[in-house]
Amino acid sequence: MNRKKILVTGGAGFIGGNFVQYMVNKYYNYDIYNLDLLTYAGDLTKHHIIQNKSNYHFIKADIADSEAINILFSQEKFDFVVHFAAESHVDRSITDPEVFVRTNVLGTQVLLDAAKQAGISKFIHVSTDEVYGELEFDPTTYFSEDTPLQPSSPYSASKAASDLLVHAYNKTYGLPINITRCSNNYGPYHFPEKLIPLTISRILNGQKVPVYGDGKNIRDWLHVNDHCTAIDLVMHEGVNGEVYNVGGHNERTNLEVVKTIIKTLGKSEELIDFVEDRLGHDKRYAIDPTKLVNLGWKPTYTFDTGIAQTIQWYLDNQEWWGQIISGEYQNYFHKQYFR
Ligand code: NAD
Ligand code: TYD
């Protein structure tokens, strides 16, 4: 089989990191290039097992740096780009929106331009269900691929803008693309600023857990491994130009999620601390994944099996998140290409 070169952006982050490991271990005939700027959210220690594998490569670069990106694309002939790199935390986007526009919008445009010039086989843009805005608390309504884009936060607005650019490069220049829009992920190596890893790590540190507002907001949770298999499928079988929603029908209120973690860890619900609500807080997300299921995708985790595995992973890997929380963390093992 022909060797292929896959550029994965944001492969030092949570989902991109899990995807890089999945691809390096699954496809020996693919060379996986992990391109990442190593912001606060990027960490290469997670790749200690694959870092010496011959089909894994790391490039430190900024996706919004057009000079660096164009040099890279002139040196390496990539077959696919799988684009995860982004600023990803809603709370940070509320206090500091500018970097979200730079990375998520400008960075995506720089990559699209380089991919267009290079004539790659396909650009897979990893987006989010948050571009659709919020649903009411009506269990019969879901986001479909045709739901209008109505983002609420600077984060989701910047992701929606990037989705529109990807669509435009397909329509105007004929760049082959797919867009995936996944619900909230959880699992190993989730950065402990997001609800699930924050809850687990704070409980294990004997701290209270902040729940925004009344805790009744609903998210649709998917284990990160199931997101990886979805992207793999879309990369190989997705129809050019199409959007695919990714979700496994695991809707839970935030309070249910926090209580499940507290119960699993054998602690008291007195740890719950109701705090001021997030500005513009979306009420509910829920995905209709029918289009992706018809393409052949099936999730393997229920929320119950996935959260149990995840809590155990955080118990077994306290050193990893402890380093991140304590700020003592350093990035290891990286090779700098451009500086
Ligand atoms: P993350 O914050 O954990 O990781 C982002 C990665 O991108 C980090 O490694 C960071 O160093 C890198 N990065 C940031 N700016 C960069 C730049 N300018 N150049 C190069 N690299 C840069 O994010 P995540 O949770 O893994 O999300 C990955 C993607 O999946 C994002 O595009 C996000 O919108 C999307 N997504 C996330 C979720 C979720 O629940 N986390 C759900 C659906 C979709
Ligand atoms: P988060 O993990 O930040 O993901 P997103 O905002 O992309 O959905 O938040 C998930 C939900 O949990 C969201 O409704 C906000 C809420 N939340 C809290 O109640 N407390 C917290 O400390 C955090 C980080 C989030």
Side-chain angles (χ1 to χ4, degrees):
M1 217 188 296
N2 280 345
R3 288 199 76 76
K4 290 197 189 306
K5 287 189 181 182
I6 321 292
L7 180 67
V8 179
T9 71
F14 163 47
I15 308 173
N18 278 280
F19 184 73
V20 161
Q21 292 179 18
Y22 166 91
M23 294 296 282
V24 165
N25 290 322
K26 179 169 177 184
Y27 294 106
Y28 297 114
N29 58 324
Y30 287 5
D31 279 307
I32 308 298
Y33 291 77
N34 168 14
L35 182 150
D36 200 294
L37 182 59
L38 301 179
T39 68
Y40 80 94
D43 128 71
L44 290 176
T45 62
K46 60 169 65 85
H47 294 321
H48 63 280
I49 292 173
I50 59 162
Q51 58 151 339
N52 289 324
K53 293 209 172 191
S54 58
N55 63 339
Y56 172 71
H57 315 270
F58 177 68
I59 302 159
K60 183 174 182 191
D62 178 353
I63 56 166
D65 178 347
S66 57
E67 200 185 328
I69 296 300
N70 288 334
I71 291 172
L72 174 66
F73 275 77
S74 68
Q75 287 174 348
E76 306 284 358
K77 176 96 185 87
F78 295 116
D79 295 285
F80 292 94
V81 174
V82 188
H83 177 34
F84 293 90
E87 290 292 334
S88 69
H89 190 37
V90 172
D91 292 329
R92 286 178 188 258
S93 82
I94 293 168
T95 51
D96 184 15
E98 190 177 337
V99 67
F100 283 73
V101 176
R102 183 184 182 276
T103 298
N104 300 359
V105 185
L106 180 63
T108 301
Q109 185 268 324
V110 165
L111 282 171
L112 285 166
D113 233 36
K116 179 193 82 164
Q117 301 289 353
I120 67 164
S121 301
K122 190 150 73 174
F123 188 101
I124 293 93
H125 180 59
V126 181
S127 191
T128 163
D129 61 353
E130 301 193 28
V131 298
Y132 298 123
E134 67 177 357
L135 292 165
E136 293 299 323
F137 295 115
D138 167 2
T140 63
T141 57
Y142 294 97
F143 293 136
S144 80
E145 289 80 1
D146 297 326
T147 302
L149 304 190
Q150 219 164 15
S152 308
S153 69
Y155 162 65
S156 52
S158 66
K159 290 296 291 188
S162 66
D163 285 22
L164 295 178
L165 279 168
V166 174
H167 177 73
Y169 271 71
N170 179 248
K171 182 102 176 152
T172 301
Y173 306 113
L175 178 70
I177 65 106
N178 284 123
I179 297 173
T180 59
R181 295 188 180 134
C182 191
S183 61
N184 285 64
N185 283 212
Y186 67 98
Y189 297 115
H190 203 177
F191 196 88
E193 66 183 350
K194 308 279 173 66
L195 179 68
I196 287 180
L198 179 133
T199 300
I200 300 170
S201 56
R202 285 183 71 89
I203 291 172
L204 293 178
N205 274 341
Q207 295 166 298
K208 292 223 165 209
V209 178
V211 171
Y212 299 165
D214 59 11
K216 290 189 179 147
N217 302 62
I218 291 173
R219 296 293 181 264
D220 185 356
W221 294 97
L222 189 75
H223 193 280
V224 65
N225 289 4
D226 287 328
H227 193 183
C228 292
T229 61
I231 294 169
D232 181 6
L233 180 68
V234 169
M235 187 177 146
H236 292 98
E237 306 291 339
V239 176
N240 176 26
E242 293 294 314
V243 176
Y244 295 92
N245 282 352
V246 189
H249 288 301
N250 291 297
E251 290 179 48
R252 297 285 187 285
T253 66
N254 294 336
L255 207 47
E256 283 171 333
V257 169
V258 169
K259 284 184 177 178
T260 300
I261 296 170
I262 288 175
K263 191 169 171 208
T264 308
L265 289 171
K267 304 290 182 189
S268 159
E269 289 184 9
E270 285 177 7
L271 284 173
I272 296 171
D273 187 11
F274 289 98
V275 298
E276 196 179 334
D277 208 353
R278 171 187 279 173
L279 295 177
H281 198 171
D282 283 335
K283 287 183 207 142
R284 172 174 170 258
Y285 303 146
I287 284 278
D288 174 359
T290 307
K291 187 172 170 182
L292 186 66
V293 169
N294 288 342
L295 196 69
W297 178 75
K298 199 164 162 249
T300 55
Y301 288 89
T302 62
F303 186 71
D304 289 344
T305 58
I307 196 71
Q309 182 260 18
T310 301
I311 292 170
Q312 190 58 49
W313 188 91
Y314 277 84
L315 282 166
D316 295 341
N317 291 274
Q318 301 202 25
E319 200 184 335
W320 178 79
W321 56 262
Q323 277 177 329
I324 285 173
I325 287 173
S326 69
E328 285 162 20
Y329 164 74
Q330 293 171 26
N331 292 308
Y332 304 108
F333 316 136
H334 77 259
K335 181 164 70 172
Q336 249 181 289
Y337 267 44
F338 298 111
R339 317 242 183 260

